[in-house]
Amino acid sequence: MWMLFVLIYAIIKGIREIFKKKALEENSVIEVLFVYSLLSLLMAIPQFPKAGGITGPQYAGTAFKAFAMFVAWLAGFSSIKKLPLSLIGVLDLSRVLFATLLGVVILGEQMTVYKSVGLVFVAAGLLFLKFNPLEIIRKKKKDNENPIIDNELSAQNSLPGEKTPFYKTKPWFIFLAIICCIFNAISGLMDKILMKDMNSSQLFVWYTFFLVIYYGIYTVATRQKITKSVWKNKWVYLLAFALVVMDNFLFKANKMPGSEITVMTLIKQVTAIVTIIAGKLVFKEKNVLHKILCATIIIAGIVIGIIPEF
């Protein structure tokens, strides 16, 4: 049952990535994040009666989990605003590496042969994403015909002959996507630890509460404005609703006996399939076939990793 709950979480999470991309087409990253967090908290009002009775250490742990999510979302939303959704989907698979490491080192989960082989496949799929033979050949041919620098992310931010700042280049946003994966893995670890003695309502209500505080402080500190238009952005409301539903499934799965963070993380990567397909169908992105091949290699690793659980 806990595997089914995690699978439902992964599918909704993939759909949520579409909502993110759409929301960020209309408003800035911090606007979407602040209002999204606030709406998620408000939508959790029916859970408030079950959210009391937690201890000081649980407050501290929840605040730490929320901070991990604060960093992950800030980096992740910034990257998804600039990078193709299908690429984000494949990069997101790298969190398997970080989450498995945390599960083994912190929680003492067993690193089996199946999990080890599965991680090798995951790493290979991510490495293959970096090297697309067809794209390399096509780019080399294009450079020979027209040796002009082509940078889709920096062209609009630089003057002719001006060197593009690193924080405006594609590698920077890929780096942010990886940072998002690392802190998401930390958040996943905290879910498993906190849900040993908390219920899903307690964790969800308080971590969204702390998120609102963090993004509020960040908004004031950076002097950014929350415009009226963000309140009319329907995608932000869909984001909040999806978060409430998917996190409740995830927290309940964490609460169930026998659930392991390493296996849960592997199952979560079904999200990548949803985002890659959405990138092609919704956003008409290119090089999707290569990304599907990379994702297939990674998913093969996921299947290998969870074989002993059946």
Side-chain angles (χ1 to χ4, degrees):
M1 182 60 71
W2 65 265
M3 287 188 182
L4 176 61
F5 280 6
V6 177
L7 180 60
I8 294 172
Y9 163 89
I11 293 172
I12 297 175
K13 185 177 183 296
I15 296 172
R16 192 184 62 148
E17 299 303 296
I18 303 173
F19 299 159
K20 285 183 188 178
K21 191 80 170 174
K22 289 289 188 179
L24 292 168
E25 288 177 355
E26 301 181 23
N27 293 99
S28 68
V29 169
I30 193 59
E31 282 183 300
V32 171
L33 282 172
F34 176 73
V35 175
Y36 164 43
S37 302
L38 179 59
L39 289 174
S40 299
L41 179 61
L42 294 176
M43 287 182 183
I45 287 177
Q47 300 182 49
F48 282 15
K50 299 179 181 179
I54 66 176
T55 64
Q58 289 172 337
Y59 277 117
T62 305
F64 178 70
K65 174 215 162 38
F67 182 76
M69 289 305 301
F70 163 75
V71 176
W73 285 359
L74 200 57
F77 276 62
S78 298
S79 62
I80 202 171
K81 187 177 179 72
K82 293 290 185 179
L83 296 176
L85 185 64
S86 53
L87 176 59
I88 289 291
V90 182
L91 288 173
D92 191 58
L93 292 168
S94 65
R95 77 170 64 186
V96 173
L97 301 173
F98 308 119
T100 301
L101 179 62
L102 290 172
V104 172
V105 175
I106 306 298
L107 298 181
E109 294 181 356
Q110 186 179 3
M111 192 62 189
T112 65
V113 173
Y114 286 101
K115 290 179 183 176
S116 300
V117 174
L119 285 178
V120 170
F121 272 77
V122 171
L126 290 169
L127 184 64
F128 188 48
L129 179 65
K130 171 72 175 176
F131 303 100
N132 182 348
L134 294 177
E135 185 64 23
I136 293 174
I137 294 173
R138 184 161 53 246
K139 191 176 187 311
K140 185 175 181 180
K141 182 178 179 180
K142 181 179 178 181
D143 289 343
N144 290 335
E145 295 174 353
N146 185 20
I148 298 176
I149 297 177
D150 179 22
N151 190 325
E152 59 180 342
L153 294 178
S154 62
Q156 58 184 352
N157 298 314
S158 303
L159 297 174
E162 181 184 10
K163 185 177 179 180
T164 304
F166 181 66
Y167 64 86
K168 293 182 179 180
T169 63
K170 186 174 181 178
W172 168 250
F173 292 107
I174 291 177
F175 170 73
L176 288 181
I178 299 299
I179 291 296
C180 175
C181 290
I182 293 174
F183 279 88
N184 265 318
I186 294 173
S187 174
L189 172 68
M190 292 306 300
D191 288 343
K192 187 64 179 174
I193 293 173
L194 292 168
M195 284 303 295
K196 289 179 179 179
D197 302 304
M198 296 174 67
N199 62 51
S200 58
S201 295
Q202 289 172 330
L203 184 53
F204 185 83
V205 167
W206 287 107
Y207 107 77
T208 51
F209 170 79
F210 284 119
L211 274 176
V212 172
I213 298 299
Y214 293 149
Y215 286 122
I217 293 173
Y218 182 85
T219 301
V220 173
T222 56
R223 298 181 179 180
Q224 299 194 47
K225 295 182 179 180
I226 306 298
T227 63
K228 293 181 180 179
S229 64
V230 70
W231 298 101
K232 300 177 182 179
N233 190 336
K234 65 180 180 181
W235 300 106
V236 179
Y237 291 86
L238 290 172
L239 266 174
F241 178 73
L243 179 68
V244 173
V245 175
M246 64 187 250
D247 271 8
N248 273 282
F249 274 108
L250 181 63
F251 295 158
K252 288 177 181 178
N254 274 291
K255 189 76 173 178
M256 293 179 179
S259 61
E260 292 188 10
I261 189 173
T262 48
V263 179
M264 291 173 72
T265 302
L266 290 172
I267 297 174
K268 287 178 187 177
Q269 306 322 305
V270 171
T271 296
I273 302 299
V274 179
T275 53
I276 292 171
I277 294 174
K280 177 65 175 178
L281 298 180
V282 180
F283 299 101
K284 312 301 180 184
E285 295 172 358
K286 299 179 180 179
N287 296 324
V288 171
L289 183 60
H290 174 67
K291 293 165 188 172
I292 290 177
L293 179 58
C294 295
T296 300
I297 297 173
I298 296 172
I299 296 299
I302 293 172
V303 173
I304 293 172
I306 65 175
I307 282 177
E309 301 298 322
F310 291 96

